[in-house]
Amino acid sequence: SFSDDVSLLVVLIDTNPFFWSTSSSSLNFHQFVSHVLVFLDLIVRLSQLNQIVVIATGHNTCDYIYDSSLDTDQVTGEGELPALYSFVLQRLEEFVNKDEKLGAKQEGLSEKRASSLLSGSLSMALCYIQRVFRSGPLHPQPRILCLQGSPDGSEQYVSIMNAIFSAQRSMVPIDCCYVGSHNSAFLQQASYITGGVYVKPQHLEGLYQYLATVFAVDLHSRSFLQLPRPAGVDFRASCFCHKTTIDMGYVCSVCLSIFCKHHDKCSTCGSVFGKAQLDAASDRKRKASES
Amino acid sequence: MNNSEKKRMNGEAEEENEEDVEDEGRDAWERTYTDERSWEALEEDESGLLQPIDNKAIYHSQYRRRLQSLSATSAASRIQKGLIRFLCVVVDLSKAAGEMDFKPSRMAVIAKHVEAFIREFFDQNPLSQIGLVIIKDGVAQSLTELGGSPEAHIKALMVKLGCAGDSSLQNALELVHDTLHKIPSYGHREVLILYSALSTCDPGDIMETIQKCKKAKLRCSVIGLSAEMFVCKHLCQETGGSYMVALDEGHFKELLLEHAPPPPALAEFAIANLIKMGFPQRAAEGSIAICSCHREAKVGEGYICPRCKARVCELPTECRFCGLTLVSSPHLARSYHHLFPIEPFTEISARQFELSRVASKTCFSCRESLLTPGTNKAGPCAACTKCKQYFCLDCDIYIHESLHNCPGCESRRITPAAASATKS
């Protein structure tokens, strides 16, 4: 039977080649994966009942890499390294190749701020967790751990917020260990809203230490630990016209789009401000017939 | 067995509490017949044999009907939904609310479900406000003022509210009309009446009041708990609201929660306006200030109004000193899925699925097998029209009712060229 310290950990690994190839940090992709693999092994050893699911967040696609509860993913074998490592490494390599092939037809992409498809892997993780909830009253406590380095993609804002609110309703914490250069505002908000932990390690050479001390412990036991506290989560909005952060602005009452200065018409929904829409529509018709 | 023997022996002495004794004397298996009507969970198949009702298929078909009705109405009004709502919930606490056909009493069931409704309402409409009104002894009183914080309303509901006297629909409508008259012009005015009585005792002509409400653009909806009444039906028809009568507790909860998501905004109902809002930063950890809501010194957590620098404790709220509406970007983001809804998935029958020759027979998002358990045949599933991925029925419901993202579409990189091609 399940006691309250059994975890289901869904790990989202950022494999975005645009980030890893331009990253100037002391950690390259292979070192990163080796830290993560030792961490996954730690989770498995902490309790026999712990489950791990690994989903890769690529640049052009997302996919499942490993599911410890699947018969097809059972790993056994002798060797210098645990069988888990070679299994996951091989699957990751297949994924990275597939991701690259899918992008071969695209050109003219600005490589500087190329984001990954975080909203895709988050959505898949949440659907998997819903399936676990449906399976019956006895199940491990699920949580999501994002290992992300790519910058936020502003085109994914609405999808990521949808995923965050759905996670909050299902009471699934979203943790994040961010290995990129500047903090991710999306993931900071995700951890804050869902009750997860956000960490941006200062010394990436010791990544495993951060993972083991902060994210290995089950949810129930977190109350006994001093975990990193959220520092200055930025909840300011960005205006729809310039994408600059503003702390005071104008909001359209019909579609809730945010603008930094007063306009006569909303560019998102077309509402004319200050007039009842029916009057505005008949005004336009009248003007068209008059001219 | 022992219980029923005891009952026979003590039958004469305990005749006054016949019902209680009978309840105690009954075994659990007997109670399932009398209280839970267990035969309703069975149905006959083609050959007349009994089998349990397939709940999964029923949930899915109910969900599909909901989805069709929603998309039919919203297709006409592009992006327009009443997102800033001022809703008055009117609870009928007349004699009829004490009836026990809903266990333990209609009043208790209403209070329980209205609490859940309030939480769901503020979850889906963070910028809106609710006010509670009760009808008792033929008079309508305001239980709570229009406000944006769920706790105040829930606290008022938890108090023991007795039920007595007649119900007066006209008095309730007059009160609600006066309350909602004062709100800004960009807000959507709505009234939700939970009516248990079968009559209304009015001081004047209720038809006049109904016309007054119609002119003030109040959208009145009614959920009846006893039977359909003409005056309620007329009210809802005139003002553009919906009238439903609950069959049982489960149905009542469903009808109530249907009013939580924003209704389609009819263009003439509210005037579009640009509302000035502030997005405060969190106060620095360890800073000490006197908060404007409680007039107490507080340390750390809190927000600073960007215009007048006053400290407030929670969002969303209105700054007490300068009147600026203060929200955080997640509050607005909660409503964005109404503006960018995802298309309903198409249902795929088992035969179509087999013909499609898709390589993996698992749901794209949760990786559950799409084959009917115990067989090699495909069960019913759903497919997204844009990314063409297959999903199981449970994921279909979860994606459309809670997540609002299609995992297949989100896991695809759409190039700017392809995106503009689909737009034009």
Side-chain angles (χ1 to χ4, degrees), chain A residues 168-230:
Chain A
Q168 185 194 26
R169 282 174 86 156
S170 320
M171 296 197 283
V172 174
I174 299 180
D175 300 323
C176 174
C177 185
Y178 191 72
V179 299
S181 39
H182 306 292
N183 276 314
S184 158
F186 290 174
L187 287 168
Q188 279 178 317
Q189 288 195 27
S191 301
Y192 183 81
I193 293 173
T194 59
V197 181
Y198 174 94
V199 161
K200 182 175 180 303
Q202 278 186 325
H203 304 284
L204 286 172
E205 318 85 73
L207 178 62
Y208 170 73
Q209 276 177 244
Y210 292 91
L211 294 176
T213 50
V214 180
F215 299 112
V217 170
D218 60 279
L219 286 177
H220 176 73
S221 311
R222 279 190 179 182
S223 50
F224 308 133
L225 299 178
Q226 291 292 328
L227 292 169
R229 267 183 282 240

Side-chain angles (χ1 to χ4, degrees), chain A residues 59 61 63-64 106 115 119 131 134 159 162 165-166 168-169 192 235 247 249 251 253-256 274, chain B residues 83 120 272-273 275 277 279 282 306 329-330 334 336 339 365-367 394 398 402-403 405 410-411 413 415:
Chain A
H59 178 69
T61 188
D63 205 356
Y64 282 82
Q106 294 165 27
S115 54
S119 56
R131 171 186 160 194
R134 285 195 299 265
S159 327
N162 286 340
F165 296 132
S166 186
Q168 185 194 26
R169 282 174 86 156
Y192 183 81
F235 279 125
D247 59 4
V251 174
S253 64
V254 175
C255 66
L256 299 189
Chain B
L83 292 173
E120 182 69 22
N273 247 312
I275 312 167
M277 290 199 190
F279 304 99
R282 254 180 106 72
S329 47
R334 261 182 215 283
Y336 287 156
L339 310 173
S365 50
C366 72
R367 296 300 146 105
D394 297 306
Y398 173 66
S402 180
L403 184 57
N405 286 342
E410 295 300 321
S411 308
R413 168 76 53 180
T415 56

